Amino acid sequence: MNADVVVTTALVRGKAAIRVAMVHPVESYWLLYGPKEQTHAQREELDAQFQNITDWLLNGLIDFNYLSEALLPSQCDGGAAPLPVGRMAYEVVLVPACKTLRSTTVERLEAFAKAGGTLLFVGEIPSLVDALPSDRVSRLAGKAQVVQHNRTDIVAALEDSRAVDVISLNTGLRPEALVSQLRQDGAARWFFLCHAEH
């Protein structure tokens, strides 16, 4: 059998066994979209933080899905733990550094945390809800876990959410530049692991 066929089969059977969801911070980026001389540096910083956290999770072998704030109300009727979003259910929701969250997102995160779900804020806590000043998210963060925006703290906070780990026999460390996905296919599981860099 062709290797491409095997890989394709492994990546489309069943559904991904993903425990972690991350709120996509695109709306904070839009909020900062203004004259280049006034907002360019803030946009660059937000974009760099988003790229970093994405790379740290993937290379840390913590698979995750993004949550779209625009789609969340239609995909998730209300908060519960695990958080039901479409066909998925998440044990952990991560909120990366951002400026604003939608009130519909905050409602679901509040209910998720109240039901015992693990809520993790990274870096800057949003000070706006629906782009208006609000302390609602900071109050929610007071009931959640908050870590600094660095690889060590983020990966350590999500250690219990890891489905599979890979440790080098030579170094005793997790190799760099690997990505993985675990899929549940009925009673069977498919595990895909590959190098992310050439």
Side-chain angles (χ1 to χ4, degrees), residues 132-155:
L132 297 172
S134 172
D135 67 349
R136 189 172 173 188
V137 183
S138 63
R139 285 186 277 118
L140 177 59
K143 303 171 188 172
Q145 186 175 2
V146 180
V147 299
Q148 295 301 311
H149 183 86
N150 65 68
R151 181 179 188 156
T152 302
D153 290 350
I154 294 168
V155 172

Side-chain angles (χ1 to χ4, degrees), residues 36-105:
K36 190 171 185 177
E37 64 275 7
Q38 294 175 11
T39 61
H40 177 72
Q42 290 177 299
R43 290 198 311 271
E44 288 287 303
E45 181 180 1
L46 188 65
D47 190 49
Q49 289 176 336
F50 177 63
Q51 184 63 55
N52 285 341
I53 197 169
T54 298
D55 290 344
W56 295 338
L57 293 181
L58 292 177
N59 292 153
L61 300 179
I62 299 171
D63 201 3
F64 69 96
N65 283 334
Y66 293 117
L67 291 184
S68 164
E69 291 195 80
L71 296 176
L72 192 58
S74 66
Q75 295 176 332
C76 176
D77 291 334
L83 186 70
V85 181
R87 294 179 52 220
M88 303 298 290
Y90 302 104
E91 298 169 13
V92 180
V93 177
L94 185 154
V95 181
C98 56
K99 304 287 185 187
T100 188
L101 291 176
R102 290 189 183 203
S103 56
T104 50
T105 302

